Amino acid sequence: LFIKDLWFEKVPVRIYQPKAPSASQRRGVMFFHGGGWVFGSLESHEKLCRSIARESESVVVSVGYRLAPEHKYPAAYEDCLNATVHFMKSIEHYGVDPARIIVSGDSAGGNLAAAVSQTLTGRPDLPKLRAQILIYPGLQALDFNLPSYQQNRGVPLLFRERAAFYVLQYLNGDASHVEEVLEGSHVPADIRLKYRKWVSPDNIPEQFKVRGYKPHALLECATEVYEAVKRFCEPNLCPLLAEDAIVQQLPETFILTCEYDVLRDDGLLYKKRLEDNGVPVTWYHLEDGFHGIMSTFNRGWLSFPAGKRGLDNIVNFLKSL
């Protein structure tokens, strides 16, 4: 691979280009790293990006977006969007096919990929995205009591409390309302009911509820708490809440979920929404997977066979595009 560090607008990026000559233009893959919007870097996901570029023979652009809590929402989202738009406008420099641009990311990066993908549906001046790849994405902050949050609350690498803590750090750099968010008293009942058609245990297949799930009672919401977190209802922060008119325009999607992951149900709920709106979805579920398994890939004793299976499925999906 040729590997080069550049700036797209004011955003640092690392580009991975296969050295072997190609008869045709290559795929271009934007990659947004995970780390709860708080951690992660171009370095932390270097091995994963190298593997994707090498094995799928694609040009991969890893984005070093600004991190919370120093840079609050929407800084990370704006950096990822701006880097993607810049790439789309300059793809001739990289031998990339404008009809085969893909956005991707893991965890918080999956959240950013979903948000960028939704935003780009409204940009007729740019090429249409070919696909999005969402690796155990976090897609909503209304309900931290979904089955996967209950079942996997203490499973490394992402505990339930930390998931709420990170999204609050990203939202406003302040996690003082973490208890209310966890118990579900941060959103008024009328708003929760409005989104219940999309964010509800009722939309989770029964086989994912057998491991000790208990329905959660709705609690009263204090006005000052809701005032502090009401941007949780913005799709750029919680892409699961986008309107059907946007979801219908999304590109073909690959979603990877892990059984032992608090974010599993976010992926399952989004899969249902996409399918309900006629978007083709390739879903790969790691029965023995846990959150973060892809970023430990290729790390010696930290490497797990499930992570390699996940990567192989992502590469196969890319090769099909």
Side-chain angles (χ1 to χ4, degrees), residues 105-117:
D106 66 315
S107 191
N111 166 282
L112 295 165
V116 166
S117 192

Side-chain angles (χ1 to χ4, degrees), residues 57-71:
E57 298 175 350
S58 304
V59 175
V60 173
V61 181
S62 182
V63 179
Y65 57 85
R66 288 170 292 168
L67 298 175
E70 294 79 9
H71 303 281

Side-chain angles (χ1 to χ4, degrees), residues 35-295:
W37 305 277
V38 176
F39 304 108
S41 64
L42 297 175
E43 273 69 41
S44 66
H45 287 60
E46 163 97 20
K47 283 188 169 164
L48 183 57
C49 288
R50 279 179 188 236
S51 299
I52 292 170
R54 197 174 55 239
E55 295 188 26
S56 73
E57 298 175 350
S58 304
V59 175
V60 173
V61 181
S62 182
V63 179
Y65 57 85
R66 288 170 292 168
L67 298 175
E70 294 79 9
H71 303 281
K72 303 185 230 331
Y73 169 77
Y77 156 76
E78 286 176 345
D79 285 358
C80 292
L81 178 63
N82 291 339
T84 304
V85 170
H86 180 95
F87 182 62
M88 286 178 143
K89 289 181 170 173
S90 56
I91 47 174
E92 68 276 5
H93 302 311
Y94 306 105
V96 166
D97 181 350
R100 291 198 297 164
I101 299 172
I102 297 107
V103 293
S104 65
D106 66 315
S107 191
N111 166 282
L112 295 165
V116 166
S117 192
Q118 290 181 2
T119 303
L120 291 175
T121 63
R123 291 289 299 263
D125 57 318
L126 294 168
K128 202 166 154 29
L129 283 176
R130 178 64 184 85
Q132 56 176 347
I133 296 175
L134 312 178
I135 303 167
Y136 36 72
L139 299 169
Q140 60 86 33
L142 297 190
D143 191 347
F144 286 83
N145 291 286
L146 291 167
S148 61
Y149 270 110
Q150 293 187 24
Q151 294 159 345
N152 304 309
R153 59 192 315 144
V155 177
L157 300 170
L158 181 63
F159 302 128
R160 176 171 168 265
E161 285 75 11
R162 297 310 284 178
F165 173 81
Y166 290 142
V167 76
L168 283 166
Q169 290 285 346
Y170 177 41
L171 174 68
N172 49 29
D174 167 20
S176 56
H177 292 302
V178 71
E179 287 308 318
E180 291 92 338
V181 169
L182 285 167
E183 70 185 17
S185 61
H186 63 305
V187 178
D190 57 329
I191 289 180
R192 190 168 272 247
L193 288 169
K194 174 186 168 185
Y195 290 118
R196 193 167 173 84
K197 58 188 174 194
W198 300 330
V199 183
S200 163
D202 299 345
N203 294 341
I204 306 284
E206 286 305 313
Q207 76 253 36
F208 293 104
K209 297 179 192 169
V210 289
R211 254 188 325 122
Y213 162 66
K214 293 186 181 66
H216 184 72
L218 287 182
L219 299 163
E220 286 299 309
C221 170
T223 311
E224 71 275 10
V225 177
Y226 177 60
E227 281 303 312
V229 304
K230 64 182 176 193
R231 296 187 80 185
F232 277 169
C233 295
E234 294 181 14
N236 288 342
L237 182 61
C238 294
L240 192 54
L241 307 185
E243 292 299 324
D244 284 343
I246 300 288
V247 176
Q248 282 156 13
Q249 299 177 64
L250 289 170
E252 185 175 346
T253 302
F254 178 99
I255 296 178
L256 182 136
T257 53
C258 293
E259 179 60 33
Y260 299 101
D261 178 5
V262 288
L263 299 183
R264 179 196 71 202
D265 294 350
D266 284 26
L268 294 176
L269 290 171
Y270 204 45
K271 170 181 178 283
K272 181 178 184 339
R273 285 220 58 202
L274 291 161
E275 289 171 345
D276 287 351
N277 282 282
V279 177
V281 178
T282 301
W283 172 53
Y284 188 69
H285 184 62
L286 289 171
E287 297 275 355
D288 50 349
F290 55 86
H291 192 83
I293 197 167
M294 298 303 296
S295 43

